[in-house]
Amino acid sequence: MAEITLEKLTKVYPDGTKAVRQLDLEIGDGQFVALVGPSGCGKTSALRMVAGLEPITDGVVRIGGQVVNRLPPKNRDIAMVFQNYALYPHMTAYKNMAFGLKLRKLDRKEIDRRVRDAARVLGLEDILRKKPRTLSGGQRQRVAMGRAIVREPQAFLMDEPLSNLDAKLRVEMRAEIARIQRSLEVTTIYVTHDQVEAMTLGDKVAVMRDGVLQQFDVSQALYDRPVNLFVAEFIGSPAMNLVGADIERSNGAMYASFGEHRLRIDDDVLADRPALREFEGKPLILGIRPEDLEDAALADEAPPERRISAVVDIREDMGSDVFIHFGSGGRPVRGKDVAAAVGVEAIQATEEQARQKGGLFVARVGRASGAREGEQIELLVAPSRLHFFDPETGHGIYDGG
């Protein structure tokens, strides 16, 4: 086991595409770090440079303190788990897991020990004699993981290992990967486009966009204090609601106004984000997560400055929750940051509605909500959970602006 350090790691392909731009990351010994971002953000290119499968244009990769830029993959003491299982169809699960060890000319007893130890950890003891065609998707993925585990490497590198599985099996395997990694305490880099996978698995999460690291922190920090609009929209499901707002002062209190709505900004929020005071009388971007809105009929009484009144466009019953879609009446937030996070198609599909009804919001309310499509609803806003962004830079407004 060992720490992995990336210093100014850069990848430029022959056609001029800049896949990774000066990526700095420190991954501690035994730490599980997830790289997440939309397709083309550079996460897989970064992983492949760590593995030695892609030449490094510039920068340094250290594994266990050793610079490995020029080392071939076999000498880096890492093991990879890919999106496709890449199992030999004519070999049993046992032989698939043992094959790499045989190439390294390990003693037969040592090979058997490692394979059976890995099989016990992965729950594969009953299928070691079976061939891949007779195994389920989850079993094949566990065999692929077993092939990596038996090598007892310094680090695991995983490239979207669950993307070929169905939704239910992905949840089960996600928990399995977390359990195995915690048990083995092996340094792990895990690449995924799924922010739920990243946030639930990673000790820390690196959010990437266009080859540039946006934010590297624990999941809760990404959720509570996104560094910019891209991270705010990318982390969380449904995505954060965004609307253009104006900061006003009245009777000594500060308010965020948009459309016909006027929300008071609590004193503790101002204390935590003193840079907000600089936006008095100016426009900014207000963010409210769907789960920070609640049907007023299901909650305690609250003053008008904590409420939003709207007409329900769409009601989606999710079983445990209800998603309420409505127009905020405020200025829609567009631009490259939002498009990169949610997709250009999603922006285009809602353009006409946003023009007519203002920024489109989603509220994630309790399943007991009686909200009906076409009817008025009163929503309570969690006052301490408001987010603010600079409309010029897209950066989150916190203590330092």
Side-chain angles (χ1 to χ4, degrees), residues 242-250 253-265 276-287 329-333 386-389 391 397:
L242 298 173
V243 67
D246 298 295
I247 298 298
E248 305 169 351
R249 184 178 292 276
S250 178
M254 292 187 73
Y255 295 83
S257 300
F258 58 98
E260 298 179 353
H261 313 297
R262 195 164 178 258
L263 297 175
R264 178 170 175 167
I265 304 173
L276 267 177
R277 299 182 187 278
E278 300 173 14
F279 284 82
E280 184 178 340
K282 299 178 183 179
L284 49 58
I285 294 172
L286 171 67
R331 299 187 298 273
V333 176
L386 300 178
H387 299 262
F388 303 91
F389 302 90
I397 300 172

Short mmCIF file of all heavy atoms in Angstrom, two decimals, residues 242-250 253-265 276-287 329-333 386-389 391 397:
data_model
loop_
_atom_site.label_atom_id
_atom_site.label_comp_id
_atom_site.label_asym_id
_atom_site.label_seq_id
_atom_site.Cartn_x
_atom_site.Cartn_y
_atom_site.Cartn_z
N LEU A 242 -31.45 26.98 -9.56
CA LEU A 242 -30.72 28.23 -9.70
C LEU A 242 -31.63 29.30 -10.30
O LEU A 242 -32.42 29.01 -11.20
CB LEU A 242 -29.49 28.06 -10.59
CG LEU A 242 -28.41 27.08 -10.12
CD1 LEU A 242 -27.36 26.92 -11.20
CD2 LEU A 242 -27.78 27.54 -8.82
N VAL A 243 -31.48 30.53 -9.82
CA VAL A 243 -32.28 31.63 -10.34
C VAL A 243 -31.52 32.94 -10.12
O VAL A 243 -30.79 33.08 -9.13
CB VAL A 243 -33.67 31.68 -9.65
CG1 VAL A 243 -33.56 32.05 -8.18
CG2 VAL A 243 -34.62 32.61 -10.39
N GLY A 244 -31.67 33.86 -11.06
CA GLY A 244 -31.09 35.18 -10.87
C GLY A 244 -31.87 35.94 -9.82
O GLY A 244 -33.09 35.99 -9.84
N ALA A 245 -31.18 36.53 -8.84
CA ALA A 245 -31.83 37.23 -7.73
C ALA A 245 -31.13 38.56 -7.48
O ALA A 245 -30.02 38.80 -7.95
CB ALA A 245 -31.81 36.36 -6.47
N ASP A 246 -31.80 39.41 -6.71
CA ASP A 246 -31.24 40.70 -6.32
C ASP A 246 -31.18 40.77 -4.80
O ASP A 246 -32.11 40.34 -4.11
CB ASP A 246 -32.11 41.84 -6.85
CG ASP A 246 -32.17 41.85 -8.37
OD1 ASP A 246 -31.12 42.09 -8.99
OD2 ASP A 246 -33.27 41.62 -8.94
N ILE A 247 -30.09 41.31 -4.28
CA ILE A 247 -29.92 41.44 -2.84
C ILE A 247 -30.39 42.83 -2.42
O ILE A 247 -29.91 43.85 -2.94
CB ILE A 247 -28.46 41.23 -2.43
CG1 ILE A 247 -28.01 39.81 -2.80
CG2 ILE A 247 -28.27 41.46 -0.93
CD1 ILE A 247 -28.78 38.71 -2.09
N GLU A 248 -31.33 42.86 -1.49
CA GLU A 248 -31.91 44.12 -1.03
C GLU A 248 -31.86 44.18 0.49
O GLU A 248 -31.81 43.14 1.17
CB GLU A 248 -33.37 44.23 -1.48
CG GLU A 248 -33.57 44.07 -2.98
CD GLU A 248 -35.04 43.90 -3.35
OE1 GLU A 248 -35.87 43.73 -2.42
OE2 GLU A 248 -35.35 43.93 -4.55
N ARG A 249 -31.90 45.40 1.03
CA ARG A 249 -31.95 45.59 2.48
C ARG A 249 -33.24 46.31 2.84
O ARG A 249 -33.63 47.27 2.19
CB ARG A 249 -30.75 46.39 2.97
CG ARG A 249 -30.69 46.53 4.50
CD ARG A 249 -29.46 47.29 4.93
NE ARG A 249 -28.24 46.54 4.67
CZ ARG A 249 -27.75 45.61 5.49
NH1 ARG A 249 -28.39 45.31 6.62
NH2 ARG A 249 -26.64 44.97 5.19
N SER A 250 -33.89 45.83 3.89
CA SER A 250 -35.13 46.44 4.35
C SER A 250 -35.25 46.27 5.86
O SER A 250 -35.13 45.14 6.37
CB SER A 250 -36.33 45.80 3.66
OG SER A 250 -37.54 46.34 4.12
N ALA A 253 -32.68 44.20 7.63
CA ALA A 253 -32.47 42.81 7.22
C ALA A 253 -32.17 42.76 5.72
O ALA A 253 -32.52 43.67 4.97
CB ALA A 253 -33.72 41.97 7.52
N MET A 254 -31.49 41.66 5.30
CA MET A 254 -31.18 41.49 3.89
C MET A 254 -32.07 40.41 3.30
O MET A 254 -32.40 39.41 3.95
CB MET A 254 -29.70 41.12 3.71
CG MET A 254 -28.76 42.26 4.06
SD MET A 254 -27.02 41.92 3.66
CE MET A 254 -27.06 42.07 1.87
N TYR A 255 -32.46 40.64 2.03
CA TYR A 255 -33.37 39.74 1.34
C TYR A 255 -32.81 39.40 -0.04
O TYR A 255 -32.12 40.21 -0.67
CB TYR A 255 -34.75 40.38 1.17
CG TYR A 255 -35.47 40.64 2.47
CD1 TYR A 255 -35.20 41.77 3.22
CD2 TYR A 255 -36.43 39.74 2.94
CE1 TYR A 255 -35.87 42.01 4.42
CE2 TYR A 255 -37.11 39.98 4.13
CZ TYR A 255 -36.82 41.12 4.87
OH TYR A 255 -37.48 41.35 6.05
N ALA A 256 -33.15 38.20 -0.51
CA ALA A 256 -32.89 37.80 -1.89
C ALA A 256 -34.23 37.78 -2.61
O ALA A 256 -35.14 37.05 -2.22
CB ALA A 256 -32.24 36.42 -1.94
N SER A 257 -34.36 38.62 -3.64
CA SER A 257 -35.63 38.75 -4.35
C SER A 257 -35.51 38.19 -5.77
O SER A 257 -34.53 38.46 -6.47
CB SER A 257 -36.06 40.22 -4.42
OG SER A 257 -36.23 40.75 -3.13
N PHE A 258 -36.53 37.44 -6.18
CA PHE A 258 -36.60 36.95 -7.56
C PHE A 258 -38.07 36.75 -7.91
O PHE A 258 -38.85 36.22 -7.11
CB PHE A 258 -35.82 35.64 -7.74
CG PHE A 258 -36.27 34.51 -6.86
CD1 PHE A 258 -37.12 33.52 -7.34
CD2 PHE A 258 -35.85 34.42 -5.54
CE1 PHE A 258 -37.54 32.48 -6.53
CE2 PHE A 258 -36.26 33.38 -4.72
CZ PHE A 258 -37.11 32.40 -5.21
N GLY A 259 -38.46 37.21 -9.10
CA GLY A 259 -39.86 37.15 -9.47
C GLY A 259 -40.71 37.87 -8.44
O GLY A 259 -40.42 39.00 -8.05
N GLU A 260 -41.73 37.19 -7.93
CA GLU A 260 -42.59 37.77 -6.89
C GLU A 260 -42.18 37.33 -5.49
O GLU A 260 -42.89 37.59 -4.52
CB GLU A 260 -44.05 37.36 -7.16
CG GLU A 260 -44.60 37.87 -8.49
CD GLU A 260 -46.03 37.42 -8.72
OE1 GLU A 260 -46.54 36.62 -7.90
OE2 GLU A 260 -46.64 37.86 -9.72
N HIS A 261 -41.05 36.67 -5.40
CA HIS A 261 -40.63 36.08 -4.13
C HIS A 261 -39.54 36.92 -3.46
O HIS A 261 -38.71 37.53 -4.13
CB HIS A 261 -40.12 34.66 -4.34
CG HIS A 261 -41.03 33.82 -5.19
ND1 HIS A 261 -42.31 33.50 -4.82
CD2 HIS A 261 -40.84 33.27 -6.41
CE1 HIS A 261 -42.88 32.77 -5.77
NE2 HIS A 261 -42.00 32.62 -6.74
N ARG A 262 -39.57 36.89 -2.13
CA ARG A 262 -38.62 37.67 -1.34
C ARG A 262 -38.25 36.84 -0.11
O ARG A 262 -39.06 36.66 0.79
CB ARG A 262 -39.28 38.99 -0.94
CG ARG A 262 -38.34 40.07 -0.43
CD ARG A 262 -39.10 41.39 -0.46
NE ARG A 262 -38.30 42.50 0.06
CZ ARG A 262 -38.47 43.01 1.27
NH1 ARG A 262 -39.37 42.50 2.10
NH2 ARG A 262 -37.72 44.02 1.66
N LEU A 263 -37.02 36.31 -0.12
CA LEU A 263 -36.58 35.43 0.97
C LEU A 263 -35.58 36.16 1.86
O LEU A 263 -34.62 36.75 1.36
CB LEU A 263 -35.92 34.17 0.39
CG LEU A 263 -36.81 33.25 -0.44
CD1 LEU A 263 -35.97 32.12 -1.03
CD2 LEU A 263 -37.96 32.70 0.39
N ARG A 264 -35.82 36.10 3.14
CA ARG A 264 -34.89 36.74 4.08
C ARG A 264 -33.63 35.89 4.23
O ARG A 264 -33.70 34.66 4.31
CB ARG A 264 -35.55 36.93 5.44
CG ARG A 264 -34.60 37.55 6.46
CD ARG A 264 -35.28 37.96 7.73
NE ARG A 264 -34.31 38.44 8.71
CZ ARG A 264 -34.63 39.09 9.81
NH1 ARG A 264 -35.91 39.35 10.08
NH2 ARG A 264 -33.70 39.49 10.64
N ILE A 265 -32.48 36.57 4.25
CA ILE A 265 -31.21 35.90 4.48
C ILE A 265 -30.89 35.97 5.96
O ILE A 265 -30.74 37.05 6.53
CB ILE A 265 -30.08 36.56 3.66
CG1 ILE A 265 -30.45 36.58 2.17
CG2 ILE A 265 -28.76 35.84 3.87
CD1 ILE A 265 -29.49 37.36 1.31
N LEU A 276 -21.32 38.33 1.13
CA LEU A 276 -22.65 38.61 0.59
C LEU A 276 -23.01 40.10 0.72
O LEU A 276 -23.75 40.64 -0.11
CB LEU A 276 -23.70 37.78 1.33
CG LEU A 276 -24.09 36.43 0.74
CD1 LEU A 276 -25.08 35.73 1.66
CD2 LEU A 276 -24.68 36.60 -0.65
N ARG A 277 -22.51 40.73 1.77
CA ARG A 277 -22.85 42.14 2.00
C ARG A 277 -22.37 43.01 0.84
O ARG A 277 -22.95 44.07 0.59
CB ARG A 277 -22.24 42.61 3.32
CG ARG A 277 -22.74 41.83 4.54
CD ARG A 277 -22.15 42.36 5.83
NE ARG A 277 -22.49 41.52 6.97
CZ ARG A 277 -23.64 41.58 7.63
NH1 ARG A 277 -24.57 42.46 7.27
NH2 ARG A 277 -23.88 40.78 8.66
N GLU A 278 -21.33 42.56 0.16
CA GLU A 278 -20.81 43.34 -0.97
C GLU A 278 -21.76 43.33 -2.16
O GLU A 278 -21.60 44.12 -3.08
CB GLU A 278 -19.44 42.78 -1.39
CG GLU A 278 -18.39 42.83 -0.29
CD GLU A 278 -17.11 42.11 -0.69
OE1 GLU A 278 -16.96 41.82 -1.91
OE2 GLU A 278 -16.28 41.85 0.20
N PHE A 279 -22.74 42.42 -2.15
CA PHE A 279 -23.67 42.32 -3.27
C PHE A 279 -24.98 43.08 -3.01
O PHE A 279 -25.93 42.96 -3.78
CB PHE A 279 -23.97 40.85 -3.57
CG PHE A 279 -22.86 40.15 -4.30
CD1 PHE A 279 -21.76 39.64 -3.59
CD2 PHE A 279 -22.87 40.02 -5.68
CE1 PHE A 279 -20.73 39.01 -4.25
CE2 PHE A 279 -21.85 39.39 -6.35
CZ PHE A 279 -20.76 38.88 -5.64
N GLU A 280 -25.05 43.83 -1.91
CA GLU A 280 -26.25 44.61 -1.65
C GLU A 280 -26.52 45.56 -2.81
O GLU A 280 -25.64 46.30 -3.26
CB GLU A 280 -26.09 45.40 -0.36
CG GLU A 280 -27.35 46.17 0.04
CD GLU A 280 -27.18 46.91 1.36
OE1 GLU A 280 -26.30 46.55 2.15
OE2 GLU A 280 -27.97 47.86 1.57
N GLY A 281 -27.75 45.50 -3.33
CA GLY A 281 -28.14 46.32 -4.47
C GLY A 281 -27.66 45.79 -5.80
O GLY A 281 -27.80 46.46 -6.83
N LYS A 282 -27.10 44.57 -5.80
CA LYS A 282 -26.56 43.98 -7.02
C LYS A 282 -27.22 42.63 -7.30
O LYS A 282 -27.75 41.98 -6.40
CB LYS A 282 -25.05 43.78 -6.89
CG LYS A 282 -24.25 45.05 -6.65
CD LYS A 282 -22.78 44.70 -6.48
CE LYS A 282 -21.96 45.93 -6.17
NZ LYS A 282 -20.52 45.59 -5.96
N PRO A 283 -27.16 42.19 -8.54
CA PRO A 283 -27.68 40.85 -8.86
C PRO A 283 -26.67 39.77 -8.49
O PRO A 283 -25.46 40.00 -8.49
CB PRO A 283 -27.88 40.92 -10.37
CG PRO A 283 -26.85 41.88 -10.84
CD PRO A 283 -26.73 42.92 -9.76
N LEU A 284 -27.17 38.61 -8.16
CA LEU A 284 -26.35 37.42 -7.98
C LEU A 284 -27.17 36.21 -8.38
O LEU A 284 -28.29 36.34 -8.87
CB LEU A 284 -25.81 37.31 -6.55
CG LEU A 284 -26.73 37.45 -5.32
CD1 LEU A 284 -27.86 36.46 -5.32
CD2 LEU A 284 -25.91 37.34 -4.05
N ILE A 285 -26.62 35.04 -8.19
CA ILE A 285 -27.34 33.80 -8.50
C ILE A 285 -27.65 33.09 -7.18
O ILE A 285 -26.76 32.85 -6.36
CB ILE A 285 -26.52 32.90 -9.42
CG1 ILE A 285 -26.35 33.57 -10.79
CG2 ILE A 285 -27.20 31.53 -9.58
CD1 ILE A 285 -25.39 32.85 -11.71
N LEU A 286 -28.92 32.81 -6.98
CA LEU A 286 -29.39 32.12 -5.78
C LEU A 286 -29.59 30.64 -6.10
O LEU A 286 -30.15 30.28 -7.13
CB LEU A 286 -30.72 32.73 -5.32
CG LEU A 286 -31.47 32.00 -4.19
CD1 LEU A 286 -30.69 32.07 -2.89
CD2 LEU A 286 -32.87 32.59 -4.03
N GLY A 287 -29.11 29.78 -5.20
CA GLY A 287 -29.30 28.34 -5.35
C GLY A 287 -30.07 27.76 -4.18
O GLY A 287 -29.80 28.09 -3.02
N GLY A 329 -40.50 32.17 -11.68
CA GLY A 329 -40.80 33.55 -12.05
C GLY A 329 -39.58 34.45 -12.10
O GLY A 329 -39.67 35.61 -12.49
N GLY A 330 -38.42 33.93 -11.71
CA GLY A 330 -37.19 34.72 -11.71
C GLY A 330 -36.38 34.54 -12.98
O GLY A 330 -36.78 33.82 -13.90
N ARG A 331 -35.23 35.16 -13.03
CA ARG A 331 -34.38 35.11 -14.22
C ARG A 331 -33.73 33.73 -14.33
O ARG A 331 -33.03 33.29 -13.41
CB ARG A 331 -33.29 36.18 -14.14
CG ARG A 331 -33.82 37.60 -14.07
CD ARG A 331 -32.68 38.63 -14.16
NE ARG A 331 -31.74 38.53 -13.06
CZ ARG A 331 -31.88 39.17 -11.90
NH1 ARG A 331 -32.97 39.91 -11.66
NH2 ARG A 331 -30.97 39.05 -10.94
N PRO A 332 -33.94 33.02 -15.45
CA PRO A 332 -33.29 31.72 -15.63
C PRO A 332 -31.77 31.87 -15.65
O PRO A 332 -31.24 32.88 -16.12
CB PRO A 332 -33.81 31.24 -16.99
CG PRO A 332 -35.02 32.07 -17.28
CD PRO A 332 -34.78 33.39 -16.61
N VAL A 333 -31.09 30.87 -15.14
CA VAL A 333 -29.62 30.86 -15.14
C VAL A 333 -29.15 29.90 -16.22
O VAL A 333 -29.49 28.72 -16.20
CB VAL A 333 -29.07 30.43 -13.77
CG1 VAL A 333 -27.55 30.33 -13.81
CG2 VAL A 333 -29.51 31.41 -12.69
N LEU A 386 -29.51 28.27 1.96
CA LEU A 386 -29.43 29.00 0.70
C LEU A 386 -27.99 29.04 0.21
O LEU A 386 -27.05 29.10 1.00
CB LEU A 386 -29.96 30.42 0.86
CG LEU A 386 -31.42 30.57 1.31
CD1 LEU A 386 -31.77 32.05 1.47
CD2 LEU A 386 -32.36 29.91 0.31
N HIS A 387 -27.81 29.02 -1.12
CA HIS A 387 -26.50 29.11 -1.74
C HIS A 387 -26.46 30.34 -2.63
O HIS A 387 -27.48 30.72 -3.23
CB HIS A 387 -26.21 27.86 -2.58
CG HIS A 387 -26.22 26.59 -1.80
ND1 HIS A 387 -25.08 25.98 -1.33
CD2 HIS A 387 -27.26 25.80 -1.38
CE1 HIS A 387 -25.39 24.88 -0.67
NE2 HIS A 387 -26.72 24.75 -0.68
N PHE A 388 -25.28 30.95 -2.74
CA PHE A 388 -25.14 32.18 -3.53
C PHE A 388 -23.89 32.10 -4.40
O PHE A 388 -22.85 31.60 -3.96
CB PHE A 388 -25.04 33.40 -2.60
CG PHE A 388 -26.21 33.54 -1.67
CD1 PHE A 388 -26.18 32.97 -0.40
CD2 PHE A 388 -27.35 34.24 -2.05
CE1 PHE A 388 -27.26 33.09 0.46
CE2 PHE A 388 -28.43 34.36 -1.20
CZ PHE A 388 -28.39 33.79 0.07
N PHE A 389 -24.02 32.63 -5.64
CA PHE A 389 -22.92 32.57 -6.59
C PHE A 389 -22.76 33.91 -7.30
O PHE A 389 -23.74 34.60 -7.57
CB PHE A 389 -23.16 31.46 -7.62
CG PHE A 389 -23.34 30.10 -7.01
CD1 PHE A 389 -24.61 29.66 -6.64
CD2 PHE A 389 -22.26 29.27 -6.78
CE1 PHE A 389 -24.79 28.41 -6.05
CE2 PHE A 389 -22.42 28.03 -6.19
CZ PHE A 389 -23.69 27.60 -5.83
N PRO A 391 -22.47 36.08 -10.35
CA PRO A 391 -22.91 35.87 -11.74
C PRO A 391 -21.81 36.09 -12.77
O PRO A 391 -21.90 35.56 -13.88
CB PRO A 391 -24.04 36.89 -11.91
CG PRO A 391 -23.78 37.93 -10.88
CD PRO A 391 -23.15 37.23 -9.73
N ILE A 397 -20.17 32.21 -3.23
CA ILE A 397 -19.89 33.36 -2.37
C ILE A 397 -19.84 32.87 -0.93
O ILE A 397 -20.86 32.49 -0.34
CB ILE A 397 -20.98 34.45 -2.53
CG1 ILE A 397 -21.03 34.91 -3.99
CG2 ILE A 397 -20.69 35.63 -1.60
CD1 ILE A 397 -22.21 35.82 -4.29
#
